[in-house]
């Protein structure tokens, strides 16, 4: 089994939202749905610093599904719609099984799942998205898939490919010789909410 994960370099990330928009296009996400978002660690508003001049500080990172080793969403799903893919380690959502009960949304400590309540509405009258990208069904819960449809074909997640600052690195965490494993070993890292016991597969390089 491969254990895919990602590192996001907070020193490189410029909070430009390119990864968020790229994700939306590649996965043909409906209006008002985002699988990836920028979290500003500065002030209360986007692009605003914390502190008092001249001692100001601001940084950002992007937040999406953490593709946990022990995903809380999987353990609570009554229909087995949420599962960890045995081949890739990517946490997936089977929309044909999902009953939209919201238990996975409540269980996820990262707040990265979205319920598609009504029939999906799109910005264009024709489908966007890459070949094999998942569809969207009313009454189901969605989230980042690490672009599983690309990864199984040997490609990178689209957010990695389009990042202008090259702040994102994707690879196999179980392979010590992967670029991702070497990067994590060489840098100071943090993971979100480790106390939740989920074992996130996304690292923030600080």
């Amino acid at each position: 089994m491969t254990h895919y994960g990602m590192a996001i370099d907070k020193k490189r990330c410029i909070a430009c939202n390119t990864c968020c928009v790229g994700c939306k296009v590649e996965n043909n996400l409906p209006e008002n749905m985002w699988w990836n978002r920028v979290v500003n660690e500065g002030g209360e508003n986007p692009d605003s610093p914390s502190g008092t001049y001249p001692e100001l500080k601001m940084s950002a990172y992007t937040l999406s599904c953490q593709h946990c080793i022990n995903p809380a969403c999987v353990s609570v799903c009554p229909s087995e719609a949420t599962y960890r893919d045995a081949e890739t380690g990517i946490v997936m959502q089977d929309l044909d099984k999902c009953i939209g009960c919201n238990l996975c949304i409540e269980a996820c400590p990262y707040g990265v799942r979205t319920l598609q309540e009504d029939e999906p509405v799109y910005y264009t009258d024709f489908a966007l998205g890459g070949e094999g990208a998942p569809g969207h069904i009313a009454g189901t819960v969605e989230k980042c898939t690490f672009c599983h449809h690309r990864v199984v074909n040997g490609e990178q997640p689209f957010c990695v490919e389009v990042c202008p600052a090259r702040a994102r690195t994707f690879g196999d965490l179980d392979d010590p010789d992967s670029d991702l494993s070497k990067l994590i070993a060489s840098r100071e890292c943090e993971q979100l909410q480790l106390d939740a016991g989920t074992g996130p597969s996304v690292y923030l390089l600080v």
Side-chain angles (χ1 to χ4, degrees):
M1 173 179 170
T2 303
H3 176 196
Y4 283 117
M6 185 177 292
I8 301 171
D9 192 334
K10 293 171 65 174
K11 292 183 178 179
R12 282 183 168 270
C13 179
I14 56 175
C16 65
N17 282 286
T18 301
C19 58
C20 304
V21 175
C23 167
K24 192 172 184 70
V25 173
E26 172 66 21
N27 292 285
N28 193 32
L29 299 186
E31 289 184 10
N32 303 318
M33 178 175 286
W34 299 87
W35 287 357
N36 196 13
R37 69 178 188 270
V38 172
V39 177
N40 178 37
E41 293 186 303
E44 296 180 359
N45 302 309
D47 301 321
S48 64
S50 62
T52 304
Y53 181 82
E55 301 297 328
L56 300 176
K57 183 179 180 181
M58 184 171 69
S59 64
Y61 63 91
T62 52
L63 178 66
S64 60
C65 178
Q66 303 292 291
H67 296 281
C68 304
I69 298 172
N70 301 304
C73 54
V74 171
S75 61
V76 300
C77 180
S79 63
E80 298 184 345
T82 303
Y83 63 98
R84 189 166 183 249
D85 181 52
E87 296 299 320
T88 63
I90 296 174
V91 178
M92 299 291 292
Q93 188 84 357
D94 187 337
L95 299 186
D96 291 328
K97 292 183 178 180
C98 180
I99 59 176
C101 66
N102 281 359
L103 287 177
C104 59
I105 293 177
E106 295 173 7
C108 176
Y110 307 103
V112 291
R113 289 172 163 261
T114 305
L115 174 66
Q116 177 63 51
E117 296 186 62
D118 304 313
E119 288 298 326
V121 177
Y122 300 96
Y123 294 106
T124 64
D125 57 3
F126 55 89
L128 302 174
E131 183 178 359
H136 309 284
I137 303 173
T140 61
V141 176
E142 300 194 27
K143 64 167 202 66
C144 158
T145 65
F146 265 167
C147 284
H148 182 272
H149 61 285
R150 293 172 57 89
V151 171
V152 294
N153 290 320
E155 299 178 279
Q156 297 275 304
F158 200 63
C159 60
V160 175
E161 188 168 302
V162 300
C163 177
R166 298 293 182 262
R168 306 168 80 85
T169 303
F170 181 77
D172 184 1
L173 289 166
D174 283 348
D175 178 4
D177 293 323
S178 71
D179 290 342
L180 176 62
S181 294
K182 291 178 180 178
L183 181 60
I184 291 172
S186 67
R187 291 279 300 275
E188 182 181 352
C189 304
E190 60 185 21
Q191 292 169 282
L192 299 176
Q193 300 190 38
L194 283 175
D195 56 350
T198 56
S201 299
V202 177
Y203 292 75
L204 301 178
L205 306 179
V206 297

